[in-house]
Amino acid sequence: MILRAIITLTFLCVSYSSFAVCNISESEKSAAISKFWAVPEVINWKSYVLSHKGKKPIISKEIETETLKNKCFSKLSAYSDEGDHIHRWHDFYISQIGNKIYIDNTEGEFISLSKWRASPDGKAWRSNPSFKRDALTRAP
């Protein structure tokens, strides 16, 4: 009987943590946005987008929260506003505690920022010498 209660309790705890809801305060939203705009590849992407007349980098107005690996993350979706349409670049998942950042790559996989940096797509945004790294670093 005790074993059955322990198994049931364990199952409930695991189920609860899988469906836990993350809450995000305004200061946590601001911190996530600041972390996003500070990523070197994002700075390069922003410079690239701004170098094209009529285009501007934007992030989703609504910052969603997601539970990934039993931790709360803020989801920021990056787009370039092309005037007549918007083009999605990537979704970034920024931890509310610590400095973990994950990204959905071009294949739609959820990977760490360091793994993405090692991929051809990440390397292109990190190492392209035509990008000006000292360009505007604040949100437009």
Side-chain angles (χ1 to χ4, degrees), residues 22-33 63 65 72 74 96:
C22 296
N23 293 319
I24 184 170
S25 68
E26 289 302 316
S27 64
E28 289 169 327
K29 283 182 185 180
S30 295
I33 292 169
I63 298 176
T65 57
C72 290
S74 299
Q96 295 177 6

Side-chain angles (χ1 to χ4, degrees), residues 46-60:
K46 179 180 176 181
S47 296
Y48 174 78
V49 172
L50 289 173
S51 72
H52 293 82
K53 187 177 180 180
K55 296 182 181 181
K56 61 183 176 180
I58 58 174
I59 56 173
S60 51

Side-chain angles (χ1 to χ4, degrees), residues 15 28-29 37 55 64 80 85 88 117 138 140:
S15 296
E28 289 169 327
K29 283 182 185 180
W37 289 115
K55 296 182 181 181
E64 300 174 26
S80 59
H85 70 283
R88 185 182 153 281
R117 285 177 170 159
R138 290 184 298 199

